Amino acid sequence: MTILVLAEHQDTQLDEATAKAVSAAGRMGGDVHVLVAGSGCGAAAEAAARLEGVAKVLLADDPSLANRLAEPVAALVVSLAGGYDALLAPSTTSGKNIMPRVAALLDVMQISDVIAVEGPDLFQRPIYAGNVIQTVRSTDARKVLTVRVSSFPAAAVTAATRPIEAAAISADPARSSFVRSELSGSERPELTGARIVVSGGRALASAENFETVLAPLADRLGAAIGASRAAVDAGYVSNDLQVGQTGKIIAPDLYIACGISGAIQHLAGMKDSKVIVAINKDPEAPIFQVADYGLVADLFEAVPEFHATVAEKMRA
Amino acid sequence: MIHADDGILSQEQRLMRDSCRSFVDDVVTPFIRSNWQREWDMSPGERLPSAILEGAEAIGVRTLGVPEEFGGIDLEKETEVRTFALISEEIARGDSGLADKLVQNWKVSIVLRQFAPKHLQEKWFPRLLEDPKFLLAHCLTEPRGASDRWLPYNVPEASMHTKAVLDGDHWVINGRKQFISNGFDASLYVVYANTDPSVGMLQGTSSFLVPRGTPGLTITKCNETMGCRFMNNGELVFEDCRVPADHLLVKSTALASAGQYFRAGKIIQAAKNLGVGVACFERTADYVQNYVQGGRILIKHQAVALRLADMATRIEAVRSLVERAAKAVDEAHPDADILCNMAKVYASEEIMKVATHALELHGGNGAMLEFGIEKLFRDAAIFLHMDATVDVSRMKIIKNMFPATAGKYAGPES
Amino acid sequence: MKVVVAVKRVADPNVKVRALADGSGVDLANVKMTMNPFDEIAVEEAVRLKEAGHATEIVVVSVGPEKSAETLRTALAMGADRGLLVRSDAVVEPLAVAKILKAVAETEKPDLIIVGKQAIDDDANQTGQMLAALLGWGQGTFASKIAIGGAAIEVTREVDGGLQTVNLPLPALVTADLRLNEPRYASLPNIMKAKKKPIDEKTPADYGVAVEPRLTVVRVHEPATRKAGIKVGSVAELVDKLRTEAGVL
Ligand SMILES: Cc1cc2nc3c(=O)[nH]c(=O)nc-3n(C[C@H](O)[C@H](O)[C@H](O)COP(=O)(O)OP(=O)(O)OC[C@H]3O[C@@H](n4cnc5c(N)ncnc54)[C@H](O)[C@@H]3O)c2cc1C
Ligand SMILES: Cc1cc2nc3c(=O)[nH]c(=O)nc-3n(C[C@H](O)[C@H](O)[C@H](O)COP(=O)(O)OP(=O)(O)OC[C@H]3O[C@@H](n4cnc5c(N)ncnc54)[C@H](O)[C@@H]3O)c2cc1C
Ligand SMILES: Cc1cc2nc3c(=O)[nH]c(=O)nc-3n(C[C@H](O)[C@H](O)[C@H](O)COP(=O)(O)OP(=O)(O)OC[C@H]3O[C@@H](n4cnc5c(N)ncnc54)[C@H](O)[C@@H]3O)c2cc1C
């Protein structure tokens, strides 16, 4: 079986999502090829060629593929599909935009947001906002899927590189044109929608500490800031940041509680978070009963260290 | 369970219920929860929060009862009271004071569409539709009491102290009304007054339309109530208040003719009460499935489970009676009067018990203002008195069932 | 301009849906159903286009069981003009829905189709893209803003890391994201008025579309509940675990 992975990249660099999609593809068994479609995207193709588990890279470098608009990229993938048993993309907004279009043109029912590969045609995917996991078997001869990147490790980067071949560019259907893109700056996301929330409690002790201790970590992670009621009541942060029974009820992928004891009213607002981290200097603090990862430490030391470690890892 | 059975509702009723529930969940409940501290220090003016009124306008719930010919909508007549019940329950599930405020408009609209002269309907219904703050009030109760009116004691000695006398082409009203829902904010009042002191109140009471701002009408007070605090209950004084002769709605037999208002009113009352019970149950069911004592969530302690079962059973029993009574009113069944009094009194006592369980099952949290359970308890308590007291409602049931014997008991103290 | 909007009846998002004990599916008995929230946004956008004088007619389509007529009625109460129920009691996968909608589009000939970006039950996020592909139209997915300009539409899309704006010649397809607008309630008076608006009924067979599923559901289960957490010894260990084990960093 041969699998084509549609790379997620910014032309000059390859996103980690691609490495994760490659490892997901590897679990289906067979040869994995990566398609890098873009304009001036040679560097991304070279990075893809270094990913472990990749047999070869197809490079489609053409001005019509700049900005990876769905119509031309889907047309390209469809033109290459004949040689593949499965077509796969990370379920980023780009993958989600393009792959269903590919699937429909191939008359295939796509499998979205796969979190586990159980076999070449057997996959797990979350439904009902992750409350339920569905295992599905695809009866289509050719598979089209998107994979949730957080569910797969990134394929390793190797010194050796695989061949890069130029792919034939198909005609642009010209059903859309790029106008502009605005990438968000460091503006913090909104509490309720954020994927990561860094939350502080009474232990923060002042409004300044929220800004100087917590905010840098939050901004580094692209996280929203939350707070316990004690912190809000003390005037450290505004009340729209309160998490809990009488505040906002949230379920981010990652909730980092810093200096929060874990009162029941606070837990009511965040207990459905996918991963909970607690940093508290009291080992008996109830927050540890719900935390996936607990760190008994003084937050004024641990949080800056957390920030520094993440910054370092991100640079690497 | 607990909520109305979708199967017995029409498609429109279900959709209306869904819109009301969304409005409550999106707007009302968050407002109530974030303003619990202010419930006690808000000025009467602040109790008409614009976000809530705008939301109420957006779902069009303030002006039910206004006929289509005046720009309103006609609900299905055969199920109108049941629809009123369904909607008032949903709103009261969010806040029963807000529900009071809104349903008073529907109830009084029923009176207007039946008794007001056409030119006054043409004048007032459009204003009601246009102005999101336009509220209506129904003024019966006086300082000396209301039970006499409900029973009623049909002797001259028990008649209303508020009097209206015809003077040329105006009626001149003098007297005082108290405990009036929307009394503090309403733009238009329906007022009952004695117009013939020589006969009993069934023969000598007339009703009038009195616009706010009529000289001689003074709004003297906003009552501070124990519950339903987002409804401004008020007190009014009439001092040589002159209204044009055409503002007379019903001459002499106003009390007897108000049956339509009272029957629908009692169903709505019971349904709002039910909404408070549903809120108690939902909050408590959630709490006992999350809060831990003795190492396990409360619901796993059998004593807790039994109480919850009792709450659910009482709510379902109330719902059944309210549905039966509402149907009887819609279908003008001869027992409608009896049934709607039963529904009202039964709801008030049963939901009080449901609220007590809620309070109990929340432990110390139940007694804290910020938890909102004590508010439900206070709201539930109000229903014992509104639209006739428990005992007076029971008397009405028996008087209606045995008119020849029990019906004859009433009389003044000598 | 004519606008077609597709709406799906789904379990209320506030309901925590559970897997059936035998793993054959999810338990939807007595679960409150409602219009897919993203579809509400799609309907709202169409109604706003009509109120702004861009759209002349809004047709809402739902593929699903008889009860989906109620979802259409809600859309009519929000301001759509007429409804079309393509009735199927069996589960219809996004690909088949897209094929049915394509056939509908061929008869209705809309200038714009708006659908929700995903249905919150199967969370597939496919139908709109598939429909655009089958029609050969341009797609503006995950829209947070649209602007009609002559014979084209400019769509601002919510993409990872920010916003992307594209221009699509009409006819075109848009999928609605959360921030596109805040949908109105179906007001009580409008619910009564919507009673008089027509809803047509068809079947997938009327459009020659086979709805046999391509995916077989082998099993449905609930994810493991939060396992007893662990204490980590250092920040380095914490960050490492978050990256490799939890995969959230
Ligand atoms: C009706 C009601 C509703 C409520 N609603 C909410 C709500 O919505 N949200 C909410 O959050 N609360 C709510 N509360 C309040 C709640 O009960 C707690 O009081 C509150 O959550 C405590 O906040 P905290 O954890 O920041 O403070 P504390 O309980 O004081 O905890 C501070 C924690 O910080 C730790 N700490 C101190 N210094 C350090 C340090 N240097 N490094 C690391 N750790 C340190 C301590 O060990 C302690 O565990 C409500 C209460 C009631 C009664
Ligand atoms: C929140 C609220 C809103 C209200 N809204 C309105 C409104 O919008 N319009 C309006 O007109 N009124 C309104 N009322 C008044 C309400 O209808 C009366 O309060 C109620 O009918 C009871 O009358 P009362 O207060 O005079 O009590 P009373 O009649 O003085 O009753 C006191 C007690 O005596 C008992 N009792 C009285 N007479 C008898 C009897 N003959 N036999 C046996 N027992 C008797 C009663 O059962 C009760 O236990 C409202 C009241 C409240 C609390
Ligand atoms: C005004 C006020 C003053 C107070 N003053 C003080 C004070 O001065 N000092 C102090 O220490 N405390 C004080 N308290 C706290 C008070 O003692 C507790 O609130 C009370 O004992 C109930 O405990 P709880 O709130 O934890 O409720 P919970 O124990 O959580 O009870 C919740 C519900 O669960 C039921 N329940 C719990 N466990 C079981 C079980 N095993 N089997 C069956 N049912 C069960 C309870 O009966 C109740 O219905 C005060 C509380 C209030 C409201």
Side-chain angles (χ1 to χ4, degrees), chain A residues 150-177:
Chain A
S150 58
S151 301
F152 298 93
V157 177
T158 61
T161 104
R162 288 81 183 167
I164 301 178
E165 276 174 23
I169 310 298
S170 49
D172 181 357
R175 293 303 307 180
S176 67
S177 54

PDB file of all heavy atoms in Angstrom, chain A residues 150-177:
ATOM      1  N   SER A 150      -2.590  15.970  17.520  1.00  0.00           N
ATOM      2  CA  SER A 150      -2.229  15.791  18.930  1.00  0.00           C
ATOM      3  C   SER A 150      -2.269  14.321  19.327  1.00  0.00           C
ATOM      4  O   SER A 150      -1.794  13.961  20.403  1.00  0.00           O
ATOM      5  CB  SER A 150      -3.155  16.617  19.821  1.00  0.00           C
ATOM      6  OG  SER A 150      -4.491  16.235  19.601  1.00  0.00           O
ATOM      7  N   SER A 151      -2.805  13.478  18.471  1.00  0.00           N
ATOM      8  CA  SER A 151      -2.904  12.063  18.832  1.00  0.00           C
ATOM      9  C   SER A 151      -1.723  11.235  18.345  1.00  0.00           C
ATOM     10  O   SER A 151      -1.652  10.047  18.635  1.00  0.00           O
ATOM     11  CB  SER A 151      -4.193  11.465  18.249  1.00  0.00           C
ATOM     12  OG  SER A 151      -5.303  12.156  18.742  1.00  0.00           O
ATOM     13  N   PHE A 152      -0.836  11.840  17.586  1.00  0.00           N
ATOM     14  CA  PHE A 152       0.279  11.060  17.035  1.00  0.00           C
ATOM     15  C   PHE A 152       1.606  11.758  17.328  1.00  0.00           C
ATOM     16  O   PHE A 152       1.676  12.986  17.275  1.00  0.00           O
ATOM     17  CB  PHE A 152       0.115  10.888  15.511  1.00  0.00           C
ATOM     18  CG  PHE A 152      -1.136  10.128  15.144  1.00  0.00           C
ATOM     19  CD1 PHE A 152      -2.320  10.805  14.870  1.00  0.00           C
ATOM     20  CD2 PHE A 152      -1.138   8.741  15.107  1.00  0.00           C
ATOM     21  CE1 PHE A 152      -3.474  10.105  14.557  1.00  0.00           C
ATOM     22  CE2 PHE A 152      -2.292   8.030  14.789  1.00  0.00           C
ATOM     23  CZ  PHE A 152      -3.469   8.717  14.515  1.00  0.00           C
ATOM     24  N   PRO A 153       2.642  10.977  17.611  1.00  0.00           N
ATOM     25  CA  PRO A 153       3.960  11.583  17.830  1.00  0.00           C
ATOM     26  C   PRO A 153       4.523  12.067  16.486  1.00  0.00           C
ATOM     27  O   PRO A 153       4.111  11.586  15.432  1.00  0.00           O
ATOM     28  CB  PRO A 153       4.793  10.422  18.374  1.00  0.00           C
ATOM     29  CG  PRO A 153       4.140   9.192  17.834  1.00  0.00           C
ATOM     30  CD  PRO A 153       2.683   9.503  17.709  1.00  0.00           C
ATOM     31  N   ALA A 154       5.436  12.993  16.550  1.00  0.00           N
ATOM     32  CA  ALA A 154       6.048  13.478  15.310  1.00  0.00           C
ATOM     33  C   ALA A 154       7.082  12.472  14.824  1.00  0.00           C
ATOM     34  O   ALA A 154       7.827  11.895  15.619  1.00  0.00           O
ATOM     35  CB  ALA A 154       6.706  14.831  15.564  1.00  0.00           C
ATOM     36  N   ALA A 155       7.113  12.227  13.515  1.00  0.00           N
ATOM     37  CA  ALA A 155       8.159  11.366  12.949  1.00  0.00           C
ATOM     38  C   ALA A 155       9.500  12.045  13.188  1.00  0.00           C
ATOM     39  O   ALA A 155       9.603  13.280  13.141  1.00  0.00           O
ATOM     40  CB  ALA A 155       7.915  11.175  11.457  1.00  0.00           C
ATOM     41  N   ALA A 156      10.504  11.233  13.449  1.00  0.00           N
ATOM     42  CA  ALA A 156      11.818  11.793  13.756  1.00  0.00           C
ATOM     43  C   ALA A 156      12.436  12.428  12.507  1.00  0.00           C
ATOM     44  O   ALA A 156      12.100  12.075  11.383  1.00  0.00           O
ATOM     45  CB  ALA A 156      12.724  10.694  14.290  1.00  0.00           C
ATOM     46  N   VAL A 157      13.325  13.372  12.767  1.00  0.00           N
ATOM     47  CA  VAL A 157      14.068  13.988  11.668  1.00  0.00           C
ATOM     48  C   VAL A 157      15.396  13.239  11.556  1.00  0.00           C
ATOM     49  O   VAL A 157      16.080  13.029  12.558  1.00  0.00           O
ATOM     50  CB  VAL A 157      14.309  15.479  11.960  1.00  0.00           C
ATOM     51  CG1 VAL A 157      15.151  16.114  10.858  1.00  0.00           C
ATOM     52  CG2 VAL A 157      12.986  16.203  12.127  1.00  0.00           C
ATOM     53  N   THR A 158      15.720  12.814  10.367  1.00  0.00           N
ATOM     54  CA  THR A 158      16.960  12.042  10.180  1.00  0.00           C
ATOM     55  C   THR A 158      17.970  12.864   9.390  1.00  0.00           C
ATOM     56  O   THR A 158      17.614  13.868   8.753  1.00  0.00           O
ATOM     57  CB  THR A 158      16.674  10.748   9.386  1.00  0.00           C
ATOM     58  OG1 THR A 158      16.167  11.119   8.104  1.00  0.00           O
ATOM     59  CG2 THR A 158      15.660   9.869  10.096  1.00  0.00           C
ATOM     60  N   ALA A 159      19.209  12.403   9.437  1.00  0.00           N
ATOM     61  CA  ALA A 159      20.248  13.092   8.665  1.00  0.00           C
ATOM     62  C   ALA A 159      20.080  12.767   7.175  1.00  0.00           C
ATOM     63  O   ALA A 159      20.236  13.623   6.309  1.00  0.00           O
ATOM     64  CB  ALA A 159      21.622  12.681   9.151  1.00  0.00           C
ATOM     65  N   ALA A 160      19.722  11.501   6.947  1.00  0.00           N
ATOM     66  CA  ALA A 160      19.564  11.070   5.551  1.00  0.00           C
ATOM     67  C   ALA A 160      18.364  11.756   4.915  1.00  0.00           C
ATOM     68  O   ALA A 160      17.410  12.089   5.599  1.00  0.00           O
ATOM     69  CB  ALA A 160      19.352   9.554   5.522  1.00  0.00           C
ATOM     70  N   THR A 161      18.453  11.974   3.625  1.00  0.00           N
ATOM     71  CA  THR A 161      17.293  12.570   2.969  1.00  0.00           C
ATOM     72  C   THR A 161      16.828  11.657   1.845  1.00  0.00           C
ATOM     73  O   THR A 161      17.596  10.885   1.292  1.00  0.00           O
ATOM     74  CB  THR A 161      17.550  14.012   2.440  1.00  0.00           C
ATOM     75  OG1 THR A 161      17.717  13.944   1.040  1.00  0.00           O
ATOM     76  CG2 THR A 161      18.726  14.651   3.103  1.00  0.00           C
ATOM     77  N   ARG A 162      15.478  11.754   1.587  1.00  0.00           N
ATOM     78  CA  ARG A 162      14.877  10.927   0.535  1.00  0.00           C
ATOM     79  C   ARG A 162      14.738  11.750  -0.726  1.00  0.00           C
ATOM     80  O   ARG A 162      14.753  12.980  -0.683  1.00  0.00           O
ATOM     81  CB  ARG A 162      13.496  10.418   0.971  1.00  0.00           C
ATOM     82  CG  ARG A 162      13.540   9.341   2.037  1.00  0.00           C
ATOM     83  CD  ARG A 162      13.720   9.981   3.366  1.00  0.00           C
ATOM     84  NE  ARG A 162      13.834   9.029   4.474  1.00  0.00           N
ATOM     85  CZ  ARG A 162      14.235   9.371   5.674  1.00  0.00           C
ATOM     86  NH1 ARG A 162      14.592  10.615   5.941  1.00  0.00           N
ATOM     87  NH2 ARG A 162      14.307   8.494   6.622  1.00  0.00           N
ATOM     88  N   PRO A 163      14.518  11.056  -1.823  1.00  0.00           N
ATOM     89  CA  PRO A 163      14.427  11.786  -3.089  1.00  0.00           C
ATOM     90  C   PRO A 163      13.235  12.751  -3.138  1.00  0.00           C
ATOM     91  O   PRO A 163      12.200  12.496  -2.529  1.00  0.00           O
ATOM     92  CB  PRO A 163      14.249  10.674  -4.126  1.00  0.00           C
ATOM     93  CG  PRO A 163      13.881   9.448  -3.370  1.00  0.00           C
ATOM     94  CD  PRO A 163      14.433   9.595  -2.004  1.00  0.00           C
ATOM     95  N   ILE A 164      13.451  13.834  -3.825  1.00  0.00           N
ATOM     96  CA  ILE A 164      12.376  14.808  -4.055  1.00  0.00           C
ATOM     97  C   ILE A 164      12.089  14.830  -5.544  1.00  0.00           C
ATOM     98  O   ILE A 164      12.996  15.037  -6.345  1.00  0.00           O
ATOM     99  CB  ILE A 164      12.794  16.221  -3.585  1.00  0.00           C
ATOM    100  CG1 ILE A 164      13.150  16.191  -2.095  1.00  0.00           C
ATOM    101  CG2 ILE A 164      11.700  17.237  -3.876  1.00  0.00           C
ATOM    102  CD1 ILE A 164      13.627  17.514  -1.534  1.00  0.00           C
ATOM    103  N   GLU A 165      10.837  14.582  -5.900  1.00  0.00           N
ATOM    104  CA  GLU A 165      10.461  14.580  -7.324  1.00  0.00           C
ATOM    105  C   GLU A 165       9.516  15.725  -7.585  1.00  0.00           C
ATOM    106  O   GLU A 165       8.673  16.045  -6.748  1.00  0.00           O
ATOM    107  CB  GLU A 165       9.692  13.288  -7.660  1.00  0.00           C
ATOM    108  CG  GLU A 165      10.568  12.107  -7.968  1.00  0.00           C
ATOM    109  CD  GLU A 165       9.728  10.845  -8.153  1.00  0.00           C
ATOM    110  OE1 GLU A 165       8.515  10.969  -8.470  1.00  0.00           O
ATOM    111  OE2 GLU A 165      10.288   9.757  -7.952  1.00  0.00           O
ATOM    112  N   ALA A 166       9.607  16.281  -8.749  1.00  0.00           N
ATOM    113  CA  ALA A 166       8.659  17.333  -9.111  1.00  0.00           C
ATOM    114  C   ALA A 166       7.357  16.677  -9.559  1.00  0.00           C
ATOM    115  O   ALA A 166       7.379  15.702 -10.297  1.00  0.00           O
ATOM    116  CB  ALA A 166       9.220  18.197 -10.224  1.00  0.00           C
ATOM    117  N   ALA A 167       6.256  17.206  -9.078  1.00  0.00           N
ATOM    118  CA  ALA A 167       4.946  16.675  -9.495  1.00  0.00           C
ATOM    119  C   ALA A 167       4.416  17.535 -10.623  1.00  0.00           C
ATOM    120  O   ALA A 167       4.675  18.740 -10.668  1.00  0.00           O
ATOM    121  CB  ALA A 167       3.977  16.695  -8.321  1.00  0.00           C
ATOM    122  N   ALA A 168       3.668  16.901 -11.518  1.00  0.00           N
ATOM    123  CA  ALA A 168       3.049  17.670 -12.607  1.00  0.00           C
ATOM    124  C   ALA A 168       1.958  18.551 -12.018  1.00  0.00           C
ATOM    125  O   ALA A 168       1.175  18.113 -11.184  1.00  0.00           O
ATOM    126  CB  ALA A 168       2.464  16.712 -13.637  1.00  0.00           C
ATOM    127  N   ILE A 169       1.944  19.792 -12.423  1.00  0.00           N
ATOM    128  CA  ILE A 169       0.954  20.732 -11.892  1.00  0.00           C
ATOM    129  C   ILE A 169      -0.317  20.631 -12.724  1.00  0.00           C
ATOM    130  O   ILE A 169      -0.274  20.702 -13.948  1.00  0.00           O
ATOM    131  CB  ILE A 169       1.487  22.185 -11.977  1.00  0.00           C
ATOM    132  CG1 ILE A 169       2.907  22.284 -11.372  1.00  0.00           C
ATOM    133  CG2 ILE A 169       0.527  23.154 -11.309  1.00  0.00           C
ATOM    134  CD1 ILE A 169       3.011  21.940  -9.911  1.00  0.00           C
ATOM    135  N   SER A 170      -1.451  20.454 -12.060  1.00  0.00           N
ATOM    136  CA  SER A 170      -2.700  20.392 -12.824  1.00  0.00           C
ATOM    137  C   SER A 170      -3.238  21.813 -13.000  1.00  0.00           C
ATOM    138  O   SER A 170      -2.860  22.738 -12.289  1.00  0.00           O
ATOM    139  CB  SER A 170      -3.710  19.504 -12.108  1.00  0.00           C
ATOM    140  OG  SER A 170      -3.794  19.881 -10.757  1.00  0.00           O
ATOM    141  N   ALA A 171      -4.154  21.954 -13.934  1.00  0.00           N
ATOM    142  CA  ALA A 171      -4.690  23.288 -14.234  1.00  0.00           C
ATOM    143  C   ALA A 171      -5.480  23.811 -13.034  1.00  0.00           C
ATOM    144  O   ALA A 171      -6.208  23.072 -12.392  1.00  0.00           O
ATOM    145  CB  ALA A 171      -5.577  23.216 -15.457  1.00  0.00           C
ATOM    146  N   ASP A 172      -5.296  25.084 -12.715  1.00  0.00           N
ATOM    147  CA  ASP A 172      -6.028  25.707 -11.605  1.00  0.00           C
ATOM    148  C   ASP A 172      -7.493  25.874 -12.012  1.00  0.00           C
ATOM    149  O   ASP A 172      -7.786  26.515 -13.022  1.00  0.00           O
ATOM    150  CB  ASP A 172      -5.395  27.081 -11.317  1.00  0.00           C
ATOM    151  CG  ASP A 172      -6.076  27.788 -10.151  1.00  0.00           C
ATOM    152  OD1 ASP A 172      -7.065  27.241  -9.614  1.00  0.00           O
ATOM    153  OD2 ASP A 172      -5.600  28.882  -9.785  1.00  0.00           O
ATOM    154  N   PRO A 173      -8.415  25.302 -11.252  1.00  0.00           N
ATOM    155  CA  PRO A 173      -9.838  25.473 -11.611  1.00  0.00           C
ATOM    156  C   PRO A 173     -10.288  26.934 -11.518  1.00  0.00           C
ATOM    157  O   PRO A 173     -11.369  27.268 -12.005  1.00  0.00           O
ATOM    158  CB  PRO A 173     -10.582  24.613 -10.588  1.00  0.00           C
ATOM    159  CG  PRO A 173      -9.562  23.897  -9.775  1.00  0.00           C
ATOM    160  CD  PRO A 173      -8.214  24.473 -10.063  1.00  0.00           C
ATOM    161  N   ALA A 174      -9.464  27.771 -10.898  1.00  0.00           N
ATOM    162  CA  ALA A 174      -9.755  29.206 -10.815  1.00  0.00           C
ATOM    163  C   ALA A 174     -11.146  29.511 -10.295  1.00  0.00           C
ATOM    164  O   ALA A 174     -11.889  30.295 -10.875  1.00  0.00           O
ATOM    165  CB  ALA A 174      -9.523  29.871 -12.184  1.00  0.00           C
ATOM    166  N   ARG A 175     -11.501  28.852  -9.213  1.00  0.00           N
ATOM    167  CA  ARG A 175     -12.807  29.135  -8.616  1.00  0.00           C
ATOM    168  C   ARG A 175     -12.662  30.025  -7.383  1.00  0.00           C
ATOM    169  O   ARG A 175     -13.650  30.291  -6.703  1.00  0.00           O
ATOM    170  CB  ARG A 175     -13.524  27.832  -8.231  1.00  0.00           C
ATOM    171  CG  ARG A 175     -13.950  26.964  -9.400  1.00  0.00           C
ATOM    172  CD  ARG A 175     -14.858  27.656 -10.394  1.00  0.00           C
ATOM    173  NE  ARG A 175     -16.025  28.258  -9.763  1.00  0.00           N
ATOM    174  CZ  ARG A 175     -16.970  28.928 -10.424  1.00  0.00           C
ATOM    175  NH1 ARG A 175     -16.861  29.100 -11.740  1.00  0.00           N
ATOM    176  NH2 ARG A 175     -17.990  29.433  -9.794  1.00  0.00           N
ATOM    177  N   SER A 176     -11.434  30.428  -7.094  1.00  0.00           N
ATOM    178  CA  SER A 176     -11.252  31.347  -5.977  1.00  0.00           C
ATOM    179  C   SER A 176      -9.927  32.067  -6.145  1.00  0.00           C
ATOM    180  O   SER A 176      -9.042  31.589  -6.842  1.00  0.00           O
ATOM    181  CB  SER A 176     -11.255  30.582  -4.641  1.00  0.00           C
ATOM    182  OG  SER A 176     -10.120  29.748  -4.551  1.00  0.00           O
ATOM    183  N   SER A 177      -9.824  33.228  -5.510  1.00  0.00           N
ATOM    184  CA  SER A 177      -8.534  33.904  -5.545  1.00  0.00           C
ATOM    185  C   SER A 177      -8.219  34.451  -4.163  1.00  0.00           C
ATOM    186  O   SER A 177      -9.116  34.778  -3.378  1.00  0.00           O
ATOM    187  CB  SER A 177      -8.553  35.034  -6.581  1.00  0.00           C
ATOM    188  OG  SER A 177      -9.645  35.885  -6.320  1.00  0.00           O
TER     189      SER A 177
END
